[in-house]
């Protein structure tokens, strides 16, 4: 980006001449906006310096007080045009007598800004000459003519904005995907103009997805990346939590692209709003090489939703209805009371200089025996040992468990009731819509009462609505079946790769294998594995 430039002419020595020798020259400044292209910007800027220098030099009553240039993209907002603001401040200080500019649209494409600055300069006796329109603002008698100037400029900008927007939406519909390579980790622009995977960065992306699925919190991932000296997409050693959240939600990492996620609300303010259904969105599949699998991406999205929907476990000091996810201890997510079904919390007991780590029911911790009279307190080392013994038993019974899971999955997939012919339903909806249209045309020409047509419209509308609800339920059912299938496949993969002979407690393995752990009594827990397999284990 070309830095804003100002060409200033140093005033002649006031002692070199007197007002008697030479008439006072007007201090003339030129304002322009130049191309955003780096090379074109430089040449355009130089061309305008030459043009205005020659123009002012040819007029013996003028002398150059400066040329002020901003990038062309900021015409609708004066706040972003630093050189424009600098020029206006010099005018306010009485350092400028006349302003030259190529056209109204170069001066401002915002009606309010245009009027504000024209009036401000006019009050100070400073004319603006718009060369293209041949207008001198000091010669404009009516306020209406000034208003029309700003309106023309804004209309031009609005037209440009609409054309750009239309072009973008046309590209969306045709499935053209634009990449902001400077902001997306893992890809670069290839020689063919398409996204190309950067292997080193792709490994960072895979690491982030895997760590999140293994139970790491966003903040923990951030700290570990920074500790390992991993650079972000901007080449900085500091990671933003928002950047990590965007990575794990970005469908581009599976080779797809969701288009029109946001849209510009106001072309003047350039305010951008998230698209929550106000405009159509377009999903492009298989657009480029994937970095992670769709299965991993879908599992991460489920984990994001699960953490976001965590119910609070305490009424005290609760700000929202949702609890905060903790990635520090797996059992914070998994351990529940067998008496009241409330979560357990990790507590440190200190007595006579000795520390003990125990887990206690939150109800007992905060309300005594009011809601949970006899939930046991469990020492952490006993709890962890019991869980690891359960995992070992699970490994020994793995073949039996996998067989049962496969049978259940096969039954679920082949024994589905209420099969729906989606093609026939969609065809029927199209037919009803055509009938509705014909009925509208008939009602215009018919002498029949309005009640007759209203009843017919309602009858058709009700049938369409019912069919649409059936389609929606079918889509939801298919999504659930697909997700269940993916979960089963993941469980099989974990069972095949897991090391069940681990002697020490492992938080990551516990998160991946276990659905929940229920404290039944002081001497017994029940471990429920993902997939529904349960093992009771003693606390020793």
């Amino acid at each position: 980006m070309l830095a804003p430039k100002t060409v200033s002419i140093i005033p002649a020595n006031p002692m070199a001449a007197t007002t008697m020798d030479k008439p006072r020259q007007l201090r003339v400044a030129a304002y322009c906006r130049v191309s955003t292209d780096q090379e074109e910007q430089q040449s355009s800027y130089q061309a305008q310096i030459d043009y205005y220098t020659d123009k002012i030099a040819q007029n013996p009553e003028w002398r150059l007080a400066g040329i002020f240039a901003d990038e062309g993209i900021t015409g609708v907002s004066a706040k972003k045009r630093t050189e424009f603001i600098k020029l206006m401040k010099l005018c306010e200080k009485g350092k400028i007598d006349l302003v030259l500019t190529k056209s109204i649209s170069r001066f401002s494409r915002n009606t309010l800004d245009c009027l504000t600055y024209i009036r401000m300069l006019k009050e100070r006796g400073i004319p603006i000459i718009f060369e293209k329109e041949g207008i001198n603002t000091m010669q404009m008698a009516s306020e209406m003519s000034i208003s029309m100037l700003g309106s023309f400029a804004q209309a031009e900008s609005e037209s440009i904005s609409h054309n750009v927007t239309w072009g973008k939406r046309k590209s969306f519909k045709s499935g053209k995907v634009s990449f902001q390579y400077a902001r997306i980790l893992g890809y670069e622009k290839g020689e063919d103009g398409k996204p190309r995977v950067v292997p080193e960065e792709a490994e960072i992306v895979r690491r982030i997805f895997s760590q999140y699925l293994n139970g790491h919190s966003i903040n923990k991932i951030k700290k570990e990346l920074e500790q390992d000296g991993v650079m972000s997409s901007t080449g900085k050693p500091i990671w933003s939590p928002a950047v990590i959240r965007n990575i794990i939600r970005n469908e581009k990492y599976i080779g797809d692209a969701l288009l029109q996620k946001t849209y510009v609300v106001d072309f003047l303010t350039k305010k951008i709003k998230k698209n929550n259904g106000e405009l159509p969105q377009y999903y492009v599949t298989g657009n480029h090489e994937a970095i992670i699998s769709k299965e991993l991406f879908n599992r991460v999205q489920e984990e994001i939703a699960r953490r976001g929907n965590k119910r609070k476990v305490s009424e005290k000091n609760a700000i929202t209805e949702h609890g905060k996810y903790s990635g520090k201890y797996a059992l914070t997510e998994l351990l529940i009371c067998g008496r009241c079904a409330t979560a357990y919390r990790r507590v440190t007991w200190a007595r006579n200089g000795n520390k003990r780590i125990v887990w206690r029911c939150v109800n007992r911790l905060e309300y005594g025996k009011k809601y949970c009279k006899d939930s046991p307190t469990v020492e952490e080392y006993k709890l962890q040992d019991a869980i690891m013994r359960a995992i070992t038993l699970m490994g020994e019974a793995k073949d039996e468990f996998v067989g049962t899971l496969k049978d259940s999955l096969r039954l679920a997939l082949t024994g589905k009731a209420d099969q729906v012919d989606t093609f026939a339903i969609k065809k029927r909806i199209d037919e009803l819509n055509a009938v509705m249209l014909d009925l509208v045309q008939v009602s215009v020409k018919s002498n029949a009462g309005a009640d007759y047509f209203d009843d017919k419209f309602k009858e058709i509308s009700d049938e369409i609505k019912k069919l649409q609800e059936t389609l929606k339920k079918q889509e939801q059912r298919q999504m659930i079946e697909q997700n269940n299938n993916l979960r089963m496949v993941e469980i099989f993969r974990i069972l095949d790769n897991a090391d069940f002979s681990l002697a020490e407690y492992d938080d990551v393995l516990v998160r991946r294998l276990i659905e929940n752990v229920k404290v039944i009594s002081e001497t017994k827990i029940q471990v429920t594995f993902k997939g529904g397999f349960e093992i009771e284990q003693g606390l020793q």
Side-chain angles (χ1 to χ4, degrees), residues 329-346:
Y329 305 107
L331 293 178
T332 303
E333 297 285 297
L334 306 177
L335 192 62
I336 57 176
C337 178
R339 301 287 195 274
C340 66
T342 301
Y344 264 59
R345 181 182 296 166
R346 191 174 189 265

Side-chain angles (χ1 to χ4, degrees), residues 346-360 365 377-379:
R346 191 174 189 265
V347 180
T348 301
W349 280 352
R351 182 177 296 177
N352 299 326
N354 296 321
K355 289 185 178 181
R356 292 172 59 203
I357 306 297
V358 299
W359 289 78
R360 301 197 71 193
L365 275 173
T377 298
V378 183
E379 292 195 72

Side-chain angles (χ1 to χ4, degrees), residues 145-341:
S145 59
I146 296 175
S147 299
M148 290 299 293
L149 282 180
S151 297
F152 288 145
Q154 181 163 321
E156 180 183 346
S157 181
E158 188 168 3
S159 175
I160 293 171
S161 177
H162 286 326
N163 288 339
V164 171
T165 300
W166 180 84
K168 285 183 177 179
R169 290 177 184 169
K170 188 176 177 66
S171 296
F172 290 157
K173 288 182 181 179
S174 63
K176 292 182 179 178
V177 180
S178 60
F179 257 73
Q180 292 182 314
Y181 292 100
R183 296 186 179 182
I184 184 166
L185 191 70
Y187 290 102
E188 65 182 4
K189 190 174 183 179
E191 295 177 357
D192 58 357
K194 296 180 179 180
R196 180 174 61 194
V197 172
V198 181
E200 301 81 8
E201 294 182 2
E203 283 304 314
I204 300 170
V205 173
R206 296 187 188 102
R207 169 179 173 172
I208 291 171
F209 272 88
S210 297
Q211 286 180 326
Y212 189 86
L213 195 61
N214 286 339
H216 286 35
S217 66
I218 294 293
N219 284 331
K220 186 174 182 181
I221 295 173
K222 165 186 160 64
K223 290 178 182 177
E224 291 185 355
L225 290 171
E226 291 173 352
Q227 287 171 357
D228 293 345
V230 177
M231 296 295 177
S232 67
S233 58
T234 58
K236 296 179 180 179
I238 303 300
W239 284 76
S240 163
V243 168
I244 297 173
R245 289 191 192 95
N246 288 338
I247 286 175
I248 61 176
R249 291 179 181 274
N250 196 337
E251 75 289 337
K252 285 187 172 69
Y253 290 117
I254 57 173
D256 297 347
L258 177 62
L259 308 181
Q260 201 154 252
K261 293 179 182 179
T262 61
Y263 64 98
V264 177
V265 179
D266 185 345
F267 84 98
L268 287 176
T269 63
K270 300 298 182 185
K271 181 180 179 182
I272 295 176
K273 183 180 178 183
K274 184 178 180 181
N275 186 3
N276 292 314
E278 293 87 351
L279 294 174
Q281 292 183 317
Y282 306 92
Y283 196 89
V284 181
T285 58
N287 179 73
H288 51 275
E289 183 181 352
I291 288 178
I292 62 167
S293 68
K294 291 188 177 182
E295 290 79 9
L296 175 57
F297 183 81
N298 289 337
R299 278 158 38 218
V300 167
Q301 303 320 298
E302 288 183 357
E303 178 63 11
I304 291 171
R306 188 190 71 80
R307 295 187 192 184
N309 290 325
K310 266 180 55 62
R311 304 299 297 177
K312 64 181 182 182
V313 296
S314 169
E315 295 292 334
K316 292 186 177 181
N317 302 320
I319 298 175
T320 69
E321 279 297 314
H322 296 287
K324 182 179 180 182
Y325 172 78
S326 171
K328 193 170 184 181
Y329 305 107
L331 293 178
T332 303
E333 297 285 297
L334 306 177
L335 192 62
I336 57 176
C337 178
R339 301 287 195 274
C340 66

